Amino acid sequence: MDANFRFYAELNEFLPRDRQYQTLQISFKDRQSVKHLIESSGIPHTEVDLVLVNGQSVDFSYLVRQGDRVAVYPVFESVDITPLLKLRPAPLREARFVLDGHLGRLAAYLRMLGFDSLYRNDYNDQELAKISDEQKRILLTRDRGLLKRSLVTRGYCLRTRDPRQQLLGVVRRFDLLGQVQPFTRCITCNGKLEPVSKTKIEDQLEPLTRKYFQEFSRCEQCGQIYWKGSHHDRMQALLDWLKTESDGNSTDF
């Protein structure tokens, strides 16, 4: 049997160059689910937000028939497709993450922006998939195979190894600028930061820090202390860059 598939926008990045941006005739034996045929083309199902077959929205379990016309779309950032969406009971954009072991710097950046981001460098693939499923977290990875696991319904395949560009990609993909709450999470452990009076922590500060800084925050989980020093300035510069590089119409933060 044969069906015609068309993959739109950035989904073409997962296809061989000679198969991008065109209608593809895909052959298959017996009836296969649309999810299986999408992933056999190299595209993780977590990258897909809408599938239309002969103009009608379907879910991933739909069994493709001879001659079907299948249109596959990526996540929509600015268009509300809720009335059409059949793939999942809820949208992907809940801004809570779990990251694979190669993304420590990205995890720190996301925590700096205030996003709940689980990270350990010793999570195995099964653990990552289970955490994503049970805690409804978006799984961030460069491993396409990991995103094809059936447990994973929320995920994003990073296109670059550069942590700053990875951060920019995640913020754009999930339209996060309006949700940013900088300096509210611990970069080290992901715990929430709370203001703490200088008198309570004075004995833990270096002499120069005690002399020149008055406002402090402390992680309620690990006890790490933060203040507006040079590290804070570097992080603020990154936030300014991110805002400039992202959609200029997004909400200020």
Side-chain angles (χ1 to χ4, degrees), residues 10 12 18 20 33 39 56 105 118 141 151 156 180 227:
E10 63 262 31
N12 285 273
D18 62 351
Q20 295 177 351
S33 72
E39 293 200 322
Q56 299 296 315
R105 179 63 63 85
L118 291 185
T141 181
L151 276 179
Y156 177 52
V180 168
W227 62 94

Side-chain angles (χ1 to χ4, degrees), residues 19-36:
R19 293 172 63 82
Q20 295 177 351
Y21 302 101
Q22 58 185 288
T23 299
L24 304 174
Q25 187 176 74
I26 295 179
S27 299
F28 52 98
K29 294 182 179 180
D30 304 318
R31 293 178 67 185
Q32 301 284 345
S33 72
V34 70
K35 177 184 175 183
H36 173 78

Side-chain angles (χ1 to χ4, degrees), residues 53-114:
V53 175
N54 305 320
Q56 299 296 315
S57 179
V58 300
D59 64 24
F60 282 131
S61 66
Y62 174 83
L63 297 178
V64 181
R65 302 173 182 176
Q66 169 67 30
D68 274 347
R69 294 176 291 106
V70 183
V72 186
Y73 296 88
V75 170
F76 290 80
E77 293 183 354
S78 58
V79 179
D80 182 8
I81 62 167
T82 304
L84 294 175
L85 192 61
K86 297 290 184 64
L87 298 186
R88 310 171 183 86
L92 293 177
R93 295 182 182 82
E94 184 180 3
R96 299 170 67 240
F97 301 96
V98 58
L99 297 85
D100 79 16
H102 303 289
L103 302 176
R105 179 63 63 85
L106 176 60
Y109 284 160
L110 286 167
R111 291 169 179 175
M112 183 188 70
L113 297 183

Side-chain angles (χ1 to χ4, degrees), residues 9-198:
E10 63 262 31
L11 295 181
N12 285 273
E13 297 173 10
F14 295 97
L15 301 175
R17 190 175 298 274
D18 62 351
R19 293 172 63 82
Q20 295 177 351
Y21 302 101
Q22 58 185 288
T23 299
L24 304 174
Q25 187 176 74
I26 295 179
S27 299
F28 52 98
K29 294 182 179 180
D30 304 318
R31 293 178 67 185
Q32 301 284 345
S33 72
V34 70
K35 177 184 175 183
H36 173 78
L37 293 177
I38 289 170
E39 293 200 322
S40 67
S41 299
I43 300 172
H45 67 274
T46 54
E47 297 292 311
V48 176
D49 215 19
L50 179 67
V51 177
L52 301 180
V53 175
N54 305 320
Q56 299 296 315
S57 179
V58 300
D59 64 24
F60 282 131
S61 66
Y62 174 83
L63 297 178
V64 181
R65 302 173 182 176
Q66 169 67 30
D68 274 347
R69 294 176 291 106
V70 183
V72 186
Y73 296 88
V75 170
F76 290 80
E77 293 183 354
S78 58
V79 179
D80 182 8
I81 62 167
T82 304
L84 294 175
L85 192 61
K86 297 290 184 64
L87 298 186
R88 310 171 183 86
L92 293 177
R93 295 182 182 82
E94 184 180 3
R96 299 170 67 240
F97 301 96
V98 58
L99 297 85
D100 79 16
H102 303 289
L103 302 176
R105 179 63 63 85
L106 176 60
Y109 284 160
L110 286 167
R111 291 169 179 175
M112 183 188 70
L113 297 183
F115 294 109
D116 184 350
S117 303
L118 291 185
Y119 168 79
R120 281 204 336 241
N121 61 12
D122 61 348
Y123 281 139
N124 61 43
D125 286 358
Q126 181 59 31
E127 288 176 310
L128 289 166
K130 185 177 180 181
I131 290 170
S132 176
D133 175 52
E134 293 182 349
Q135 300 186 25
K136 310 306 179 189
R137 291 178 179 271
I138 299 167
L139 174 56
L140 301 179
T141 181
R142 297 190 75 249
D143 183 350
R144 298 185 193 182
L146 175 55
L147 292 178
K148 292 179 181 180
R149 287 177 174 247
S150 59
L151 276 179
V152 180
T153 60
R154 296 164 170 83
Y156 177 52
C157 185
L158 300 163
R159 277 45 166 194
T160 174
R161 295 182 184 275
D162 180 79
R164 284 166 61 102
Q165 292 298 323
Q166 289 174 344
L167 177 65
L168 181 60
V170 172
V171 168
R172 283 175 170 170
R173 167 66 182 271
F174 296 103
D175 197 19
L176 297 180
L177 271 185
Q179 303 176 47
V180 168
Q181 295 181 306
F183 315 118
T184 58
R185 281 195 177 270
C186 178
I187 295 175
T188 302
C189 78
N190 195 45
K192 290 185 178 180
L193 301 184
E194 56 182 9
V196 61
S197 67
K198 185 177 180 179

